[in-house]
Amino acid sequence: MESTVEALSAAYQEFVAAAAGVLEAKEQSGGQKTAATDAALELFKQRWELFRVSCDQAEEFVESMKQRIGSECLVDEATGAGPVRPPAASGIPPISAVRLEQMSKAVRWLVIELQHGAGATAGAAPHPHTSAPFDARFSEDGAQ
């Protein structure tokens, strides 16, 4: 994270310096277009692009961290490994990460079956997979 912030800061400082260079070149030329003003503008354009790339990279880093934190919170919430709260607070008892993955797969299978079954007739043959998409023998399911 520090390297991302440092890269963004350095790109910003170079961008600001290039902007100042354009202003100085324009002032020295008396507002006329010269090779020096063109060079300063070209440098400004390059620094602007580098600054934008640094901003995009920082944004990608932030988004990846948001996704990572969200995933960790989801697993913590599902497994009960997060901050200790009374079970009555959420009304949902914690489940294991394995069980969460099985339930996720079950939902995916149901979505696929619903998508494929939308065009099927009432007398159509069942889908080729005959096993259940998840194992219903876990103790967490007994109370549900």
Side-chain angles (χ1 to χ4, degrees), residues 42-93:
E42 184 59 33
L43 182 63
F44 175 76
K45 180 181 172 186
Q46 290 172 1
R47 297 300 186 237
W48 167 246
E49 289 300 320
L50 290 173
F51 179 61
R52 286 182 52 198
V53 167
S54 292
C55 288
D56 290 344
Q57 290 171 342
E59 184 177 8
E60 288 172 11
F61 177 77
V62 168
E63 288 301 316
S64 70
M65 288 296 103
K66 283 172 48 179
Q67 290 176 354
R68 180 177 170 188
I69 290 168
S71 296
E72 289 174 0
C73 288
L74 177 63
V75 170
D76 287 349
E77 185 70 28
T79 61
V84 179
R85 288 183 284 161
S90 67
I92 301 172

Side-chain angles (χ1 to χ4, degrees), residues 31 34 71 107 118:
T34 64
S71 296
V107 169

